[in-house]
Amino acid sequence: MVTVLSIDGGGIRGIIPGIILGFLESKLQELDGPNARIANYFDIVAGTSTGGLVTAMLTAPDKENRPMYAAKDITNFYLEHSPKIFPQNKHKNFVGSMTNLFGAVMGPKYNGKYLRSLTDGLLGNLTLKQTLTDVIIPTFDIKLLQPVIFSTYDAKLNDLKNARLADVCISTSAAPTFLPAHYFETKDASGNTLSFNLIDGGVAANNPTMMAISQIFKERFKNEFMSIRAMDYSKRMLVLSLGTGAAKHEEKYSTTVASKWGLVNWLYDNGATPLLDVYGDASSDMVDFHVSTLFQALGCKNNYLRIQDDTLTGDASTVDIATKENLQRLVEIGKELLKKPVSRVNLDTGRYEEIGRECTNEEVLSYFAKLLVEERKLQQDN
């Protein structure tokens, strides 16, 4: 089996998968000892935007070559640093609204200095090929107008693709209108250079699950492609995909309002960014539709677990309202999601609906932990 963890983008809503991962890691520790860490049990960890930050936290080595962060520490990381990455305008009145609007038109809403300083301080000169397990982090090059996918696999083969983790994290988080684009260069031993002009990977793949699966075919199964039936490929993958939450259907935009919007409204409307919301949700949902259809059609639906809450309302559905109240609300949403019944996307309506059996996300994650521990032991024995 090849084990895959995928984490969506979503700004401060990264707290939600952080809660899920903290629970999963606690179950791994119950089964395999207190030193168990997420990176020990997944062959590939993929993350976009805020999910890319979490990916780096879980897989970057410390001085003892252990994961820099335990999953249980992710939530506190967000609670501590989110208000500094996304400082809130204290004047929630007409003047404050006009200031936000002017900022959205004239430049990024946040200058990104704190995030750059934070990632540089934490990750230093660590590079992609030093991660403790394979990672995949998508970005988008605005000069080339094409996605750029950073992976440990490619970094080991080509020094020009072995970027600093800090540069990759800053790039994949550079959401248009929120944070500035990021430029950097890589260099190989021969002095060749490669330049990158990058923004948030969420514009291409807010849900990086399909990218992770593609990497498996590229790296693991390429020599067996002709000898294994298509169904067997899915049976040999165990995939956990974590969303960061989405707005409740009734909370989303209506054509009555949107039909009157111009460029400014699509970019900024009462503190929201409709165009980015549409791209982010569409990207995440399309990937989930595709992967869910694949696994269901091939009779391997239990090998793919997607945990997502599509009922967020108000500030909880935003990516940057980093008030103390909203951050704590996201913590509660993550805890409540653990107690909710397992759901699967309805391919006709796009809504997440409870599946037939009575089983909570908490219970299925406990079972998932057992599978991960068993698979790790099999890999160690071989």
Side-chain angles (χ1 to χ4, degrees):
M1 297 286 286
V2 181
T3 53
V4 179
L5 170 64
S6 174
I7 310 163
D8 286 13
I12 59 170
R13 301 198 312 267
I15 287 174
I16 295 174
I19 295 289
I20 305 297
L21 290 168
F23 176 82
L24 175 61
E25 191 170 85
S26 72
K27 291 301 171 182
L28 292 170
Q29 291 169 346
E30 288 178 10
L31 296 167
D32 224 12
N35 290 326
R37 295 290 184 269
I38 293 290
N40 304 142
Y41 298 87
F42 286 97
D43 297 305
I44 296 176
V45 181
T48 298
S49 193
T50 199
L53 292 175
V54 174
T55 295
M57 292 167 67
L58 295 173
T59 63
D62 62 15
K63 293 180 180 179
E64 298 177 354
N65 209 38
R66 294 271 296 153
M68 193 171 287
Y69 279 84
K72 66 180 178 62
D73 297 325
I74 292 173
T75 299
N76 286 335
F77 177 90
Y78 275 85
L79 294 177
E80 178 182 353
H81 297 292
S82 293
K84 301 171 187 175
I85 297 171
F86 303 114
Q88 300 300 292
N89 191 324
K90 295 180 180 180
H91 304 290
K92 292 188 176 182
N93 50 27
F94 177 77
V95 174
S97 298
M98 291 305 296
T99 299
N100 286 337
L101 176 58
F102 183 76
V105 173
M106 299 304 296
K109 190 174 181 181
Y110 308 99
N111 61 33
K113 291 181 180 179
Y114 184 83
L115 179 60
R116 292 180 187 226
S117 174
L118 178 64
T119 51
D120 279 332
L122 288 174
L123 299 172
N125 289 319
L126 288 172
T127 63
L128 279 164
K129 68 180 183 182
Q130 292 175 277
T131 56
L132 297 172
T133 191
D134 285 356
V135 303
I136 297 174
I137 301 176
T139 62
F140 190 87
D141 194 306
I142 55 173
K143 186 174 183 178
L144 302 177
L145 288 180
Q146 67 180 31
V148 175
I149 314 304
F150 290 98
S151 75
T152 305
Y153 176 74
D154 290 334
K156 290 177 179 178
L157 297 177
N158 185 346
D159 284 345
L160 290 176
K161 295 184 178 181
N162 185 34
R164 287 195 320 140
L165 271 174
D167 283 321
V168 175
C169 287
I170 294 167
S171 300
T172 195
S173 304
T177 76
F178 286 98
L179 291 164
H182 186 53
Y183 174 86
F184 67 93
E185 296 179 353
T186 55
K187 182 182 291 187
D188 65 14
S190 300
N192 299 309
T193 61
L194 185 61
S195 61
F196 299 93
N197 301 265
L198 303 177
I199 61 172
D200 190 348
V203 301
N206 200 53
N207 174 349
T209 306
M210 200 66 231
M211 285 186 174
I213 292 175
S214 297
Q215 185 72 22
I216 293 170
F217 280 84
K218 177 180 177 181
E219 179 184 356
R220 307 296 177 101
F221 295 153
K222 61 181 179 180
N223 296 324
E224 307 172 63
F225 185 77
M226 299 304 295
S227 62
I228 302 177
R229 295 176 305 166
M231 185 181 296
D232 292 330
Y233 283 109
S234 295
K235 288 181 178 178
R236 293 176 63 184
M237 290 185 283
L238 193 62
V239 181
L240 174 60
S241 176
L242 301 180
T244 56
K248 190 176 181 180
H249 279 241
E250 291 77 9
E251 292 282 316
K252 296 181 180 180
Y253 312 104
S254 70
T255 53
T256 304
V257 177
S259 61
K260 302 174 183 177
W261 283 348
L263 178 61
V264 171
N265 299 104
W266 276 105
L267 292 176
Y268 187 87
D269 183 68
N270 292 324
T273 51
L275 195 61
L276 290 182
D277 291 344
V278 169
Y279 275 115
D281 277 8
S283 172
S284 294
D285 290 347
M286 284 301 293
V287 170
D288 188 27
F289 291 167
H290 184 84
V291 178
S292 184
T293 301
L294 174 67
F295 278 79
Q296 289 183 50
L298 297 179
C300 310
K301 61 184 180 182
N302 291 331
N303 285 29
Y304 171 63
L305 174 62
R306 170 78 168 168
I307 298 181
Q308 172 71 314
D309 187 335
D310 62 349
T311 64
L312 303 188
T313 59
D315 288 351
S317 66
T318 68
V319 299
D320 68 323
I321 305 300
T323 62
K324 182 178 179 180
E325 295 77 16
N326 193 41
L327 295 175
Q328 288 296 334
R329 176 59 189 141
L330 290 170
V331 172
E332 294 307 312
I333 288 170
K335 292 178 179 178
E336 291 165 5
L337 185 56
L338 284 170
K339 304 293 184 182
K340 288 184 177 180
V342 175
S343 299
R344 185 173 290 129
V345 66
N346 182 312
L347 301 179
D348 293 321
T349 66
R351 296 174 184 265
Y352 283 83
E353 299 175 355
E354 298 176 16
I355 59 178
R357 62 176 184 267
E358 294 182 3
C359 184
T360 65
N361 288 319
E362 202 171 57
E363 291 168 335
V364 78
L365 283 168
S366 297
Y367 175 70
F368 208 89
K370 292 179 182 178
L371 296 179
L372 290 171
V373 170
E374 290 171 2
E375 183 57 36
R376 187 181 186 221
K377 288 178 179 178
L378 285 172
Q379 292 182 4
Q380 289 175 332
D381 290 343
N382 292 328

